[in-house]
């Protein structure tokens, strides 16, 4: 899934954070008591068990990209939507550490039943699940949301339905009364999915918001982003885009049907449009109402030293791995990046150490030598290319000369405004090889729409990808399969890489029934794609969050990129919060 880029600027924190360097490379114990002070709470919750009631405040520098479940495919927003506003067929267990990756039934009674060689999947819905108006959630509502995710007017959502459902080629959604025959609803509580090919991992895909219910009569098209209709524990009371979102309890949510969501607070208020440094300073200070607040976005690198040197703030710090790889992706469809030697020159020119320093240093980041994160390599990425972490500009210049560009060239990169510091480090390192880079920054809420317009984007983009679950099938095909590139709303494959041998090998691996053999094949393919250089893996971030002193039940949910698990977070003392 897409990974929203975090709030970061160029910063010289190497000295301040070097005390955490040793622990980041795997030297920490499982309970987080290693030498990296950022990982003291890794795999554990802060603040004990919350009490019911009060108002949880979320301080944010931005609006949501999409709350519409058909369009919501960004880590932290998926966490917020699926934990608070709508339920899916299957979800992740609410637990810190590796237990947070365990699949559990949500709307469904179990994890689904396969037949026809894993090409047919049947789910039965729980009874008693109701929307915010008291009407029941039906199988037809889930079918409808899956279908509407195909609409050209609703770009940005998960691609699993398009990739796997039979008869989905060319489908444009239900607007003209057209429906997918590959989704059957024999009754209000049964869903049957017919796939075009075997897919043993299909239950994992039904965690996606695409598999949340939307009643057809409540569908407002693109405007549904502003007011999704709740099947979860909270409903939208008010939403001023870019300013404030208020959630209150859905009176028809029944905890007897929901073993995952605890719904401790009475209200959640998301305050938007704040400056990132303002949020960091308020969370560190922990004064007044801010003691009952949490940040929406990760701690900025330049604020890290304030936290790591402050014992009281450090006790409120979470820093789970995002399990996502940041990359510089090059447009392989046009010059000069249609030339593999040019792309390899960029691989050698990039100084990953400088970019890591601009990202907050080794306490909050690990350098990346492969596309897939370490979790998909059994805990340690391979180093196929053996390029120094500081780059090799001399080798890069030789490659440029071999490609007929001895004097280099000029190009542009698009980054989220929060990634300007990383972009400046990229700009400086490429300049050493003779590649002049102009930086274009985009507001985070518009970033994916901007780089997803394949006809009107820059040659370079800085973004990343997270596996939806622990399988290479959720990473490499989404980032490098050219058959799913869209002109608008393009996701994942921002290098526009269309390599037939790579796509053929992806199909062969996807057809393997031996999970161990398939896993090894994905790992080998990662290195093979790396030699073709459509993108350069840079780093894997942690998601540092300093929460308020009145917060309880807070932990980084590993399945949502280290973001707070909104299923369990609440307050120690609800009376201290402000409504």
């Amino acid at each position: 899934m897409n990974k929203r880029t975090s709030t970061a600027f160029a910063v010289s924190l190497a000295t301040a954070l070097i005390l955490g360097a040793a622990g980041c490379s795997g030297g920490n114990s499982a309970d987080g008591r290693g030498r990296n002070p950022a990982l003291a709470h890794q795999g554990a919750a802060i603040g004990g068990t919350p009490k019911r009631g009060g108002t949880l405040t979320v301080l944010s520098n931005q609006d949501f990209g999409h709350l519409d479940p058909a369009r919501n495919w960004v880590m932290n927003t998926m966490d917020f939507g699926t934990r608070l506003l709508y339920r899916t067929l299957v979800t992740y267990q609410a637990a810190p550490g590796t237990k947070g990756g365990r699949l559990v039934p949500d709307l469904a009674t179990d994890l689904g039943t396969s037949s026809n060689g894993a090409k047919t999947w049947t789910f039965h819905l729980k009874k008693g699940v109701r929307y915010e108006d008291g009407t029941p959630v039906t199988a037809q509502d889930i079918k409808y949301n899956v279908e509407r995710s195909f609409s050209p007017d609703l770009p940005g959502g998960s691609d699993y339905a398009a990739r796997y459902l039979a008869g989905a080629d060319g489908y444009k959604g239900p607007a003209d009364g057209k429906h997918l025959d590959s989704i059957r609803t024999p009754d209000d509580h049964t869903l049957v999915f017919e796939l075009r090919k075997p897919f043993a991992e299909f239950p994992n895909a039904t965690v996606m918001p695409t598999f949340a219910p939307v009643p057809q009569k409540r569908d407002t098209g693109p405007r549904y982003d502003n007011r999704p209709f709740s099947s979860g524990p909270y409903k939208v009371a008010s939403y001023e885009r870019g300013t404030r979102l208020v959630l209150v309890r859905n009176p028809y949510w029944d905890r007897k049907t929901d073993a995952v969501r605890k719904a401790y607070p009475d209200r959640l208020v998301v305050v938007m449009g704040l400056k990132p440094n303002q949020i960091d300073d308020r969370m560190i200070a922990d004064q007044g109402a801010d003691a009952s607040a949490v940040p929406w976005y990760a701690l900025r690198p330049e604020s890290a030293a304030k936290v790591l040197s402050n014992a009281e703030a450090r006790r409120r710090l979470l820093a789970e791995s995002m399990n996502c790889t940041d990359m510089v992706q090059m447009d392989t469809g046009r010059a000069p990046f249609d030339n593999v030697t040019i792309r390899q020159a960029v691989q050698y020119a990039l100084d990953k150490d400088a970019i890591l320093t601009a990202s907050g240093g080794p306490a909050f980041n690990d350098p990346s030598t492969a596309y897939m994160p370490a979790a998909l390599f059994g805990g340690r990425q391979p180093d196929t290319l053996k390029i120094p972490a500081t780059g090799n500009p001399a080798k890069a210049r030789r490659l440029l000369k071999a490609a007929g560009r001895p004097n280099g060239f000029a190009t542009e990169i698009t980054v989220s405004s929060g990634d300007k510091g990383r972009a400046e480090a990229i700009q400086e390192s490429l300049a050493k090889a003779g590649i002049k880079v102009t930086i274009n920054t985009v507001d985070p809420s518009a970033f994916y729409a901007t780089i997803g317009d394949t006809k009107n984007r820059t040659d370079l983009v800085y973004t990343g990808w997270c596996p939806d679950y622990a399988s290479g099938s959720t990473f490499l095909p989404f980032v490098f399969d050219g058959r799913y590139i869209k002109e608008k709303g393009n996701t994942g494959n921002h290098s526009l890489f269309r390599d037939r041998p790579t796509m053929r090998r992806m199909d062969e691996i996807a057809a393997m029934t031996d999970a161990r053999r398939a896993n090894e094949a994905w790992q080998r393919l990662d290195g093979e794609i790396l030699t073709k250089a459509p993108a350069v893996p840079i780093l894997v971030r942690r998601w540092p969050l300093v929460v308020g002193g009145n917060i309880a039940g807070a932990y980084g949910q590993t399945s949502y990129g280290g973001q707070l698990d909104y299923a369990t977070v609440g307050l120690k003392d609800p009376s201290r919060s402000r409504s």
Side-chain angles (χ1 to χ4, degrees):
M1 67 187 76
N2 282 318
K3 173 192 61 57
R4 183 69 68 203
T5 46
S6 72
T7 308
F9 302 89
V11 59
S12 55
L13 284 179
T15 302
L17 298 182
I18 198 68
L19 58 124
C24 276
S25 63
N28 293 286
S29 59
D31 61 4
R33 291 192 295 269
R35 287 179 286 175
N36 186 345
L39 305 185
H41 298 292
Q42 187 178 35
I46 287 177
T49 302
K51 291 186 170 69
R52 184 177 169 86
T55 297
L56 176 68
T57 300
V58 183
L59 304 181
S60 180
N61 63 319
Q62 64 186 66
D63 199 350
F64 299 97
H66 297 294
L67 284 178
D68 183 336
R71 308 179 70 179
N72 183 356
W73 200 19
V74 175
M75 277 287 193
N76 48 359
T77 312
M78 280 187 20
D79 171 30
F80 191 87
T82 61
R83 293 316 215 187
L84 300 173
L85 289 170
Y86 33 79
R87 299 172 63 177
T88 47
L89 283 173
V90 169
T91 192
Y92 293 113
Q93 182 172 328
T98 56
K99 291 181 180 178
R102 180 175 170 240
L103 287 183
V104 293
D106 190 2
L107 290 174
T109 58
D110 55 27
L111 300 181
T113 303
S114 67
S115 57
N116 190 25
K119 290 177 66 176
T120 302
W121 284 88
T122 302
F123 294 84
H124 298 284
L125 302 188
K126 296 173 183 174
K127 296 182 180 178
V129 182
R130 294 188 287 173
Y131 292 109
E132 61 182 77
D133 65 349
T135 56
V137 171
T138 68
Q140 291 83 358
D141 299 338
I142 298 173
K143 170 181 168 71
Y144 180 73
N145 189 46
V146 175
E147 291 177 336
R148 64 193 290 274
S149 73
F150 285 81
S151 171
D153 296 330
L154 304 175
S158 163
D159 280 349
Y160 285 98
R163 288 172 183 258
Y164 288 102
L165 286 177
D169 291 341
Y171 182 63
K172 300 295 183 182
D176 297 324
K178 297 179 180 178
H179 299 282
L180 285 171
D181 294 335
S182 51
I183 310 176
R184 293 185 283 113
T185 55
D187 56 57
D188 287 351
H189 291 88
T190 305
L191 277 154
V192 182
F193 297 93
E194 299 290 350
L195 311 184
R196 67 179 65 173
K197 55 187 175 182
F199 185 28
E201 299 170 353
F202 187 68
N204 294 273
T206 66
V207 169
M208 299 295 108
T210 311
F211 295 89
V214 171
Q216 184 171 357
K217 67 180 181 180
R218 295 287 182 174
D219 186 12
T220 55
R223 291 183 291 119
Y224 198 77
D225 252 340
N226 302 326
R227 184 60 174 84
F229 196 60
S230 175
S231 57
Y234 297 93
K235 64 179 181 178
V236 176
S238 63
Y239 189 9
E240 300 172 65
R241 295 302 301 252
T243 302
R244 185 181 178 91
L245 170 69
V246 178
L247 304 184
V248 296
R249 291 192 183 278
N250 168 7
Y252 295 100
W253 173 74
D254 186 349
R255 66 178 61 249
K256 289 185 292 186
T257 71
D258 192 341
V260 175
R261 299 163 186 82
K262 305 306 179 186
Y264 289 115
D266 288 333
R267 301 169 77 244
L268 288 95
V269 177
V270 184
V271 181
M272 306 169 194
L274 302 174
K275 294 181 178 180
N277 63 323
Q278 179 184 13
I279 296 171
D280 288 356
D281 290 345
R282 285 173 61 174
M283 295 313 307
I284 293 168
D286 194 34
Q287 298 295 309
D290 290 343
S292 300
V294 298
W296 173 249
Y297 232 78
L299 186 77
R300 297 179 314 143
E302 52 267 60
S303 297
K306 298 178 187 178
V307 175
L308 296 180
S309 62
N310 182 329
E312 193 281 326
R314 201 164 61 239
R315 283 193 292 270
R316 298 181 281 112
L317 171 67
L318 298 166
E320 285 288 351
S321 174
M322 291 186 67
N323 200 32
C324 310
T325 306
D326 278 21
M327 291 174 268
V328 173
Q329 297 200 47
M330 297 166 270
D331 185 345
T332 61
R334 60 187 178 193
F337 297 108
D338 56 349
N339 185 325
V340 66
T341 307
I342 294 285
R343 302 198 301 267
Q344 290 168 340
V346 173
Q347 281 183 324
Y348 278 89
L350 283 171
D351 183 343
K352 295 182 183 181
D353 267 1
I355 304 170
L356 186 143
T357 298
S359 302
F364 293 146
N365 306 273
D366 295 306
S368 188
T369 54
Y371 294 123
M372 297 192 301
L376 300 188
F377 285 100
R380 186 179 181 87
Q381 287 183 320
D383 188 0
T384 303
L385 300 179
K386 310 293 184 188
I387 299 173
T390 53
N392 186 338
K395 175 70 176 287
R397 286 192 295 270
R398 291 196 295 273
L399 288 166
L400 289 174
K401 183 177 180 180
R405 299 269 188 160
N407 299 317
F409 58 90
T411 188
E412 296 179 74
I413 189 169
T414 297
V415 301
S416 164
S417 56
D419 282 329
K420 188 178 179 183
R422 294 180 176 92
E424 289 171 346
I426 292 167
Q427 181 185 55
E428 183 176 347
S429 60
L430 291 182
K432 294 177 182 177
I435 301 172
K436 182 180 179 181
V437 179
T438 300
I439 299 170
N440 296 318
T441 60
V442 178
D443 184 82
S445 62
F447 177 68
Y448 283 107
T450 301
I451 66 172
D453 182 348
T454 59
K455 300 296 184 183
N456 299 285
R457 50 153 280 190
T458 57
D459 286 340
L460 303 179
V461 297
Y462 186 88
T463 183
W465 193 259
C466 314
D468 286 316
Y469 51 91
S471 170
S473 67
T474 74
F475 198 101
L476 295 181
F478 287 91
V479 182
F480 298 116
D481 190 336
R483 291 166 290 189
Y484 296 96
I485 294 171
K486 304 173 187 174
E487 184 173 329
K488 290 186 180 293
N490 186 50
T491 56
N493 190 347
H494 295 296
S495 60
L496 308 183
F497 190 56
R498 295 178 171 92
D499 183 66
R500 291 188 182 281
T502 297
M503 292 186 287
R504 186 164 54 247
R505 184 56 179 155
M506 287 176 181
D507 289 343
E508 292 169 354
I509 300 172
M512 293 179 181
T513 56
D514 184 325
R516 182 189 59 79
R517 183 166 159 255
N519 183 55
E520 292 172 351
W522 287 123
Q523 292 173 359
R524 287 193 297 272
L525 183 60
D526 187 291
E528 292 167 11
I529 298 173
L530 197 60
T531 64
K532 299 177 182 181
V536 184
I538 302 296
L539 53 85
V540 174
R541 311 183 200 183
R542 296 190 179 277
W543 193 255
L545 299 164
V546 176
V547 302
N550 193 34
I551 298 299
Y555 56 84
Q557 166 57 271
T558 56
S559 294
Y560 292 114
Q563 176 60 286
L564 286 176
D565 193 337
Y566 284 94
T568 62
V569 69
L571 305 172
K572 296 177 184 176
D573 181 358
S575 68
R576 291 178 57 194
S577 67
R578 294 179 184 175
S579 59

